[in-house]
């Protein structure tokens, strides 16, 4: 029997240190050594999944191929490592307790008193051991190791059962199969500029008190750590100086794997896990070129992101990353202008005319407009105005999920004269309900009841711009997350306005993609193309949008290397 090997990432002092980026970067580094990786994110909250959590509170909800609604860190894993994870790769307290309670109700525990130890901790360990052996890179056979990120900070009461489970796991698999990396903060206090080690010392002391001793320290800081600071941390934290990694601020996060390689993090981990025979020297040439080329970009493109949750950029993290991937592939830096949709509304002009005027000035100064997904009626009038501005002024427009529905509502009102056209989500009494609640979706339960996961969209018009961008005249598979759709009763009437529904689901009743012929680039999609965008494989729709911004032509051909694996766009 092959015992799985684990790299566990914990965090201390404060949250938001970048454990997700650290875990992803370690995965990239070990992948470059020829090792196969899988990832697990542990979220200690009681929610079963992230699906019902507010973007303002927890950032975006990332959607996986199997429909799992998970923490945004799994999006980082997929983008960095080019994996296809499942809902099982995200463990929450809610999932663990739910599984244990279901077993108790079935009588699986044979009348025993069910307790946190051993039943909850055993459930955590069993889950980890089961998931860590499942390949997620499309290749047969189990991965070499599993990178596990424990959310929150050491000492949080909700994470205690997971700490105990990891302690038990480290004991059962042995030191040669378990490597613990603790991410901590080394702040600079006052004008003196001295790097302080005491917060990390206390964090490691608390971790050791719980039965776990870090093998490596990953210290976050604004500037590189001084050698004397590393020596001090080594003495007080019982970690060799060579195993104290410094992740200081870098121009972009693609540099983090390179920073870790420079400090020989891969050698320390491979030695700890006895993987020298399977590992090869790290090969990060393409990754290095990607990071350095982005640093050297001088041209930028202004993108108006008109949304509901612009107060927290993590609410649209995958959209931001997809913009980055597409822009960098075309040798541009994305300059995102965050516009709160409500600031564009007429009501805002009455309450705060300066804010309203500034929002419109910003919108008109952008080269393209993107309206992303969202729920609820707040900001909808502003999104409709943004879509109308893009349509009437030939500005490239991409509407995602709600953004597509906004386009349909705007055209129904402005072109077809349906002044009260609306979505059932916002107005259930309107006679022109161009967007409707999907009949199969639950109206009483919110969690995991939407149309979720990777689903096939068929092209109704094989010669459409979208089909050419995807390079497939028949279909495309993308991830979905919605409970409202275009009302099929209005499709024929909407098409009379000039709007084309070029994609539908396999039943051919549910409209998935819209285009506006005669417009340089006006596309709306019911799915979320941002979830499948990768640094070297940008989303076709984001790429097409910025290509039109760059060249503003109907005929073009480009080949983008080394960023994109032989991606060639042919549009005629």
């Amino acid at each position: 029997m092959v015992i799985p090997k684990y790299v566990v990432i914990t965090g201390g002092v404060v949250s938001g240190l970048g454990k997700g980026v650290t875990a992803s970067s370690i995965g990239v580094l070990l992948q470059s050594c020829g090792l196969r990786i899988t990832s697990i994110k542990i979220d200690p909250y009681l929610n079963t999944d992230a699906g019902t959590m507010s973007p303002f509170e927890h950032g975006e909800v990332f959607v996986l191929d199997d429909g799992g609604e998970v923490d945004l860190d799994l999006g980082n894993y997929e983008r960095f490592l080019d994996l296809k994870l499942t809902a099982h790769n995200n463990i929450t307290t809610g999932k663990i307790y739910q599984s244990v309670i279901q077993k108790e109700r079935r009588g699986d525990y044979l009348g025993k008193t069910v307790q946190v130890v051993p039943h909850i901790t055993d459930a955590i360990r069993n889950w980890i051991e089961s998931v860590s052996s499942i390949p997620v890179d499309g290749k047969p056979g189990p991965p070499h190791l599993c990178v596990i990120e424990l959310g929150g900070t050491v000492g949080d009461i909700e994470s205690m059962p997971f700490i105990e489970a990891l302690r038990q796991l480290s004991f059962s698999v042995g030191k040669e199969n378990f490597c613990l990396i603790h991410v901590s903060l080394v702040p600079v206090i006052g004008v003196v500029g001295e790097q302080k080690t005491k917060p990390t010392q206390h964090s490691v002391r608390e971790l050791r008190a719980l039965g776990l001793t870090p093998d490596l320290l990953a210290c976050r800081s604004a500037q590189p750590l001084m050698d004397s600071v590393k020596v001090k941390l080594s003495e007080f934290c019982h970690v060799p100086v060579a195993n104290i990694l410094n992740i200081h601020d870098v121009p972009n996060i693609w540099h983090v794997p390179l920073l870790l390689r420079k400090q020989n993090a891969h050698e320390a981990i491979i030695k700890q896990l006895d993987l020298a025979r399977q590992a090869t020297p790290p090969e990060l040439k393409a990754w290095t070129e990607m990071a350095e080329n982005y640093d050297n970009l001088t041209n930028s493109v202004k993108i108006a992101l008109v949304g509901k949750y612009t107060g927290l950029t993590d609410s649209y993290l995958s959209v931001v990353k997809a913009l980055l991937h597409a822009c960098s592939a075309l040798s541009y830096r994305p300059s995102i202008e965050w516009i709160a949709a409500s600031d564009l509304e007429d009501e805002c002009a009455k309450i705060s005319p300066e804010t309203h005027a500034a929002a419109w000035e910003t919108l008109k100064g952008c080269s393209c407009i993107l309206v992303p997904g969202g729920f609820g009626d707040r900001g909808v009038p502003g999104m409709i105005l943004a879509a109308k501005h893009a349509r009437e002024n030939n500005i490239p427009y991409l509407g995602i999920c709600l953004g597509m529905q906004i386009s349909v509502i705007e055209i129904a009102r402005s072109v077809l004269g349906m002044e009260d056209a609306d979505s059932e989500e916002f107005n259930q009494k309107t006679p022109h309900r161009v967007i409707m609640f999907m009949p199969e979706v639950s109206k009483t339960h919110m969690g995991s009841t939407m149309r979720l996961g990777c689903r096939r969209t068929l092209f109704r018009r094989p010669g459409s711009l979208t089909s050419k961008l995807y390079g497939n005249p028949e279909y495309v598979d993308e991830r979905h997350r919605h409970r409202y759709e275009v009302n099929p009763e209005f499709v024929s009437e909407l098409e009379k306005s000039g709007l084309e529904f070029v994609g539908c689901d396999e039943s051919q009743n549910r409209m998935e993609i819209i285009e506006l012929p005669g417009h340089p680039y006006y596309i709306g999609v019911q799915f979320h193309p941002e979830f499948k965008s990768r640094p070297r494989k940008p989303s076709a729709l984001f790429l097409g949008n910025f290509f039109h911004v760059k060249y503003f032509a109907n005929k073009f051909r480009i080949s983008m290397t080394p960023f994109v694996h032989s991606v060639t766009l042919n549009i005629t």
Side-chain angles (χ1 to χ4, degrees):
M1 178 182 174
V2 178
I3 299 176
K5 294 180 183 289
Y6 303 97
V7 175
V8 176
I9 315 292
T10 59
V13 184
V14 294
S15 60
L17 285 177
K19 293 192 301 298
V21 173
T22 302
S24 302
S25 299
I26 287 169
V28 167
L29 184 56
L30 296 175
Q31 252 187 358
S32 75
C33 295
L35 300 174
R36 294 176 58 205
I37 311 295
T38 186
S39 296
I40 293 175
K41 171 68 189 297
I42 297 174
D43 286 303
Y45 47 69
L46 276 169
N47 304 63
T48 302
D49 58 33
T52 57
M53 299 176 74
S54 166
F56 279 126
E57 185 171 327
H58 202 69
E60 79 168 1
V61 177
F62 190 80
V63 178
L64 302 170
D65 268 5
D66 67 352
E69 297 174 283
V70 296
D71 184 83
L72 57 81
D73 280 322
L74 275 82
N76 277 327
Y77 305 159
E78 285 206 342
R79 284 187 289 270
F80 268 58
L81 302 170
D82 197 17
L83 304 176
K84 285 189 178 180
L85 303 174
T86 72
H88 296 299
N89 292 89
N90 190 197
I91 303 175
T92 68
T93 298
K95 286 181 180 178
I96 295 297
Y97 273 78
Q98 187 177 59
S99 67
V100 169
I101 290 170
Q102 286 173 349
K103 286 183 178 180
E104 186 275 330
R105 291 291 84 189
R106 288 197 306 265
D108 292 2
Y109 295 114
L110 302 176
K112 294 180 180 177
T113 301
V114 180
Q115 298 175 292
V116 173
V117 181
H119 301 100
I120 295 295
T121 52
D122 283 352
I124 296 168
R125 287 176 52 196
N126 292 339
W127 194 304
I128 290 173
E129 290 170 349
S130 172
V131 172
S132 63
S133 63
I134 299 172
V136 290
D137 57 2
K139 300 175 184 177
H144 290 104
L145 56 89
C146 178
V147 178
I148 303 172
E149 178 194 349
L150 175 61
T153 55
V154 171
D156 294 345
I157 191 168
E158 60 264 29
S159 66
M160 290 301 183
F162 294 100
I163 294 282
E164 173 60 19
L166 291 170
R167 183 197 66 79
Q168 294 176 14
L169 182 67
S170 69
F171 180 74
S172 64
V173 301
K175 288 295 293 180
E176 70 279 6
N177 296 307
F178 192 93
C179 178
L180 179 61
I181 302 174
H182 187 61
V183 182
S184 187
L185 177 68
V186 178
V188 173
I189 305 297
V191 295
V192 179
E194 181 185 359
Q195 293 175 328
K196 294 293 186 180
T197 65
K198 191 64 72 177
T200 299
Q201 292 180 42
H202 283 298
S203 181
V204 170
R205 184 182 302 160
E206 183 153 15
L207 187 62
R208 293 178 67 197
L210 296 170
L212 288 172
T213 300
D215 301 294
L216 291 89
L217 284 181
C219 298
R220 286 285 291 113
S221 61
Q223 300 296 327
L225 288 185
M226 294 182 292
D227 290 340
S228 59
V229 172
K230 289 187 177 183
V231 171
K232 189 174 182 180
L233 284 169
S234 176
E235 290 175 351
F236 286 94
C237 299
H238 293 202
V239 176
V241 172
N243 286 8
I244 295 178
L245 310 173
N246 178 211
I247 305 177
H248 55 77
D249 292 350
V250 289
N252 66 71
I253 62 171
W254 293 337
H255 280 282
V256 178
L258 308 178
L259 191 63
L260 293 171
R261 179 190 62 179
K262 187 177 181 180
Q263 298 173 73
N264 297 316
H266 58 291
E267 293 181 0
I269 296 169
I270 288 168
K271 180 181 179 181
Q272 173 72 27
L273 297 178
D274 192 23
L275 284 169
R277 285 174 293 181
Q278 293 97 317
T280 60
E283 175 49 63
L284 286 169
K285 182 180 178 180
W287 192 277
T288 303
E289 288 177 349
M290 180 177 69
E292 292 179 350
N293 284 339
Y294 183 77
D295 289 341
N296 295 326
L297 295 179
T298 55
N299 294 326
S300 65
V301 56
K302 279 191 176 183
I303 307 146
L305 197 155
V306 183
K308 297 164 62 69
Y309 316 115
T310 53
L312 179 66
T313 57
D314 274 358
S315 299
Y316 301 113
L317 183 62
S318 290
V319 171
V320 171
K321 297 303 181 184
L323 293 172
L324 171 65
H325 303 159
C327 285
S328 61
L330 293 170
S331 300
Y332 271 83
R333 281 179 176 268
S335 175
I336 300 175
E337 298 289 345
W338 298 89
I339 301 175
S342 56
D343 290 348
L344 299 172
E345 297 171 10
D346 295 338
E347 190 65 28
C348 180
K350 300 174 185 176
I351 300 171
S352 179
E354 297 85 2
T355 302
H356 180 261
W360 273 104
E361 183 180 356
T362 301
L363 184 72
K364 291 176 180 179
C366 291
S367 299
C368 52
I369 297 172
L370 190 152
V371 177
F375 297 94
D377 60 359
R378 184 177 57 82
V380 166
M383 296 179 198
I384 292 173
L385 289 170
K388 183 178 182 179
H389 176 73
R391 180 179 60 82
E392 293 181 341
N393 293 280
N394 286 333
I395 298 171
Y397 174 88
L398 178 60
I400 297 173
C401 196
L402 175 62
M404 170 188 158
Q405 297 171 8
I406 290 293
S407 299
V408 171
I409 295 170
E410 190 276 318
I411 288 173
R413 290 181 182 181
S414 302
V415 181
L416 295 178
M418 302 177 187
E419 295 182 1
D420 54 0
D422 217 329
S423 167
E424 187 176 358
E425 181 180 9
F426 316 134
N427 183 358
Q428 296 182 4
K429 297 180 180 179
T430 177
H432 296 114
R433 191 180 49 165
V434 293
I435 306 296
M436 61 176 283
F437 194 88
M438 291 190 294
E440 72 270 28
V441 173
S442 172
K443 292 188 176 182
T444 57
H445 289 71
M446 301 294 287
S448 297
T449 59
M450 286 186 277
R451 186 167 178 257
L452 295 165
C454 188
R455 296 171 184 266
R456 179 153 295 179
T457 296
L458 306 178
F459 290 117
R460 303 172 78 209
R461 291 174 174 80
S464 65
L465 175 59
T466 308
S467 67
K468 291 176 180 178
L469 286 170
Y470 277 109
N472 186 335
E474 297 181 2
Y475 66 88
V476 63
D477 296 324
E478 290 281 14
R479 297 177 184 177
H480 294 67
R481 184 176 186 251
H482 64 110
R483 55 169 55 93
Y484 294 89
E485 63 175 335
V486 175
N487 190 336
E489 295 179 4
F490 287 89
V491 168
S492 59
E493 194 168 355
L494 285 162
E495 288 192 320
K496 291 177 184 176
S497 71
L499 186 69
E500 288 189 356
F501 291 93
V502 301
C504 61
D505 74 342
E506 291 180 294
S507 74
Q508 300 189 24
N509 292 321
R510 180 167 287 142
M511 298 300 111
E512 294 266 305
I513 307 172
I514 62 168
E515 290 182 10
L516 196 60
H519 192 286
Y521 192 92
Y522 193 98
I523 291 178
V525 291
Q526 189 59 74
F527 47 78
H528 289 264
E530 70 271 22
F531 290 143
K532 283 193 171 184
S533 182
R534 302 289 181 263
R536 285 172 283 180
K537 291 186 287 186
S539 164
L541 295 180
F542 284 82
L543 201 60
N545 192 3
F546 296 116
F547 196 92
H548 278 80
V549 170
K550 186 173 183 180
Y551 294 100
F552 216 74
N554 291 324
K555 281 189 169 185
F556 57 90
R557 174 186 176 89
I558 66 170
S559 179
M560 293 161 292
T561 54
F563 295 147
V564 187
H565 300 309
S566 301
V567 169
T568 302
L569 297 179
N570 292 291
I571 307 294
T572 57

